[in-house]
Amino acid sequence: MVFIQNSNYLQFLAKFGVGGAHPGGINLSKEIMKNERILPASHILDVGCGTGQTAAYLASHYAAHVTGIDINPIMIEKARHRMKKAHVSVNIIQGSIEETSLPNEAFDFVLAESVLAFVNKQRALQEIFRLLKKGGRLIAIEFTVPMLLSTQQADDIQQFYGFDALLTKKDWVALFQETGFQDIRIQKNKDILSKPEFHISKDIESTLYDVMDQHMRMNEKYDTILDYRIYICTK
């Protein structure tokens, strides 16, 4: 977990309590979920749930059984506060998706919104596969580079965000297939956008404001490279 723990970008997200930081934000999440058969009996795992924005929506809108997991204690605290304030029943647990104590085949859906790029992908996908019921679905919104990058570009992006690797669409599909997933569907929807929400901590280091500024500069600098895809895979 060296990358995710040492990422100043992720610490910025936690301290500023950024909800909907993934591409498309909560509006994209809602649009994707509309096409899934989510029932009140459905069990959903939100991997890297952050402040719990998507998890709370799933629990309130679909009345589903929702569990959120995140490794960051600040995010966990903010997610639990959200659920309490909204009177929403969501099980929030702290831990890594690379290895959990959750039971085999416990979930109908696993949602990963810009999470797999930050962890050991093979271990995380194997764990997700274990947790999904037969016929269950992984829905992942993940950073995807459109082309092979120069060493300088790759180093710049990886060092700032804490990615251990930069994957193309073909790379992601190969990983899903190696894990055992089938019926892999790929989408891209850049028409849907959402304003991020903030639940700012009281004690924010001044360096994290610099991280926020750098993040904005990175988005401008690599506008055509910082891309994503939606991957929907079936166990």
Side-chain angles (χ1 to χ4, degrees):
M1 293 299 297
V2 62
F3 288 97
I4 195 167
Q5 288 178 341
N6 292 338
S7 171
N8 288 330
Y9 171 71
L10 292 178
Q11 189 65 4
F12 148 70
L13 292 182
K15 282 295 186 79
F16 279 80
V18 183
H22 61 280
I26 187 64
N27 289 337
L28 179 59
S29 302
K30 291 178 179 179
E31 188 65 24
I32 294 170
M33 293 303 169
K34 282 198 309 190
N35 297 319
E36 299 296 327
R37 191 168 180 265
I38 301 176
L39 305 171
S42 298
H43 289 261
I44 306 172
L45 177 63
D46 184 2
V47 173
C49 65
T51 65
Q53 186 184 42
T54 300
Y57 169 77
L58 292 170
S60 60
H61 187 77
Y62 294 99
H65 303 277
V66 182
T67 298
I69 183 171
D70 202 288
I71 198 169
N72 190 294
I74 299 171
M75 288 296 204
I76 290 293
E77 180 183 354
K78 291 179 179 181
R80 287 175 176 162
H81 178 74
R82 179 196 293 274
M83 305 312 164
K84 185 177 180 179
K85 186 177 180 180
H87 304 288
V88 176
S89 178
V90 174
N91 181 28
I92 301 293
I93 57 177
Q94 184 177 354
S96 167
I97 190 54
E98 293 180 12
E99 185 177 3
T100 77
S101 58
L102 294 166
N104 291 342
E105 300 186 350
F107 298 97
D108 301 284
F109 299 93
V110 172
L111 177 65
E113 298 176 323
S114 293
V115 176
L116 300 177
F118 293 97
V119 299
N120 183 303
K121 296 163 186 58
Q122 286 87 354
R123 288 175 60 184
L125 285 172
Q126 287 169 5
E127 183 69 353
I128 288 170
F129 195 84
R130 180 184 73 81
L131 295 172
L132 275 171
K133 298 176 183 178
K134 182 65 177 176
R137 291 156 75 77
L138 165 64
I139 301 168
I141 305 170
E142 288 300 336
F143 175 71
T144 304
V145 293
M147 66 196 84
L148 188 65
L149 306 183
S150 69
T151 301
Q152 182 179 352
Q153 289 174 321
D155 287 347
D156 197 19
I157 294 170
Q158 287 180 241
Q159 288 176 17
F160 176 72
Y161 288 104
F163 300 144
D164 63 342
L166 303 179
L167 302 189
T168 64
K169 183 172 61 175
K170 184 177 179 181
D171 295 331
W172 279 113
V173 170
L175 271 177
F176 296 134
Q177 290 176 334
E178 288 167 12
T179 306
F181 284 105
Q182 302 175 4
D183 187 27
I184 300 166
R185 293 190 287 120
I186 306 170
Q187 302 175 21
K188 181 181 180 183
N189 194 330
K190 283 214 157 187
D191 298 328
I192 297 178
L193 300 172
S194 309
K195 287 185 178 180
E197 61 172 28
F198 296 90
H199 298 275
I200 302 174
S201 300
K202 292 180 181 179
D203 56 331
I204 295 183
E205 302 90 327
S206 60
T207 53
L208 292 182
Y209 287 95
D210 296 333
V211 173
M212 179 171 60
D213 290 340
Q214 189 176 352
H215 170 53
M216 295 174 67
R217 290 197 298 271
M218 291 285 285
N219 271 274
E220 292 175 1
K221 182 178 181 180
Y222 296 115
D223 179 54
T224 60
I225 293 174
L226 293 172
D227 205 354
Y228 75 95
R229 292 293 186 277
I230 305 156
Y231 302 93
I232 301 176
C233 317
T234 303
K235 177 174 176 178

